């Protein structure tokens, strides 16, 4: 515990300055990373209007670090929801797009997206990846 000396020559504990997390958005997707929902689902829109972004709870791969095309579990508005990662801020391999934000699309238990539109360009490398991206690719209007 840090102590500071007051004007009356007694030692007192330092007051606590902040009780909440003030970290910025991470460069890669791990647990508790803030994410941006880029479809027009009601759950994603409500979270964005409330100023409470979705947070990653679990990544469904062995490394524990998410990248484009990975399936994750997010906490959004007090609910657990599955999602696919569509864009990450981290440095990418050549010919893989890098995004300004960590983008996700919410999906239901059957793997179909909750929204009816995707509001950002979708990486075209999702066409070659394994997984059920056909419904997400059908909703996309722009590809990079």
């Amino acid at each position: 515990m840090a102590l500071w000396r007051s004007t009356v020559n007694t030692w007192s504990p330092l007051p606590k300055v902040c009780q909440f997390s003030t970290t910025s958005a991470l460069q890669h997707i791990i647990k508790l990373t803030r994410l941006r929902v880029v479809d027009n689902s009601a759950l994603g829109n409500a979270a964005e209007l409330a100023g409470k972004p979705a947070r990653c709870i679990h990544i469904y791969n062995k490394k524990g670090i998410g990248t484009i095309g990975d399936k994750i579990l997010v906490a959004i508005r007090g609910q657990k929801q599955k999602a696919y990662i569509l864009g990450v801020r981290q440095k990418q391999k050549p010919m893989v797009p890098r995004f300004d934000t960590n983008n996700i699309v919410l999906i239901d238990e059957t793997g179909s997206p909750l929204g009816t539109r995707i509001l950002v360009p979708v990486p075209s490398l999702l066409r070659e990846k394994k997984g059920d991206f056909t419904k997400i690719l059908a909703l996309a209007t722009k590809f990079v």
Side-chain angles (χ1 to χ4, degrees):
M1 179 189 293
L3 298 174
W4 60 284
R5 191 170 193 165
S6 65
T7 56
V8 270
N9 292 333
T10 58
W11 292 93
S12 302
L14 286 174
K16 291 190 176 186
V17 178
C18 70
Q19 298 289 331
F20 56 91
S21 173
T22 57
T23 59
S24 62
L26 293 172
Q27 298 294 322
H28 50 274
I29 296 180
I30 58 173
K31 289 186 180 182
L32 297 181
T33 301
R34 291 192 303 256
L35 305 161
R36 179 177 165 223
V37 179
V38 294
D39 58 6
N40 64 343
S41 61
L43 189 59
N45 289 341
E48 190 172 327
L49 287 176
K52 301 277 188 178
R55 289 201 178 243
C56 177
I57 297 176
H58 181 73
I59 298 145
Y60 294 107
N61 66 14
K62 293 181 182 178
K63 290 186 286 185
I65 295 175
T67 185
I68 295 175
D70 285 345
K71 192 178 198 180
I72 61 173
L73 183 67
V74 296
I76 182 167
R77 304 277 300 167
Q79 301 176 24
K80 289 193 276 187
Q81 196 72 40
K82 291 183 181 175
Y84 277 117
I85 301 173
L86 286 190
V88 293
R89 290 185 54 186
Q90 70 187 11
K91 187 173 168 92
Q92 298 291 331
K93 296 176 184 174
M95 303 302 293
V96 177
R98 179 178 176 181
F99 290 82
D100 292 338
T101 56
N102 294 323
N103 300 330
I104 60 169
V105 170
L106 298 175
I107 58 172
D108 61 4
E109 295 300 322
T110 62
S112 58
L114 294 181
T116 57
R117 281 186 301 152
I118 295 177
L119 308 173
V120 297
V122 174
S124 58
L125 69 100
L126 287 179
R127 294 178 183 178
E128 295 97 35
K129 278 203 168 229
K130 289 192 274 188
D132 191 22
F133 297 109
T134 54
K135 296 175 184 175
I136 293 174
L137 293 171
L139 294 178
T141 56
K142 297 177 191 169
F143 293 94
V144 290

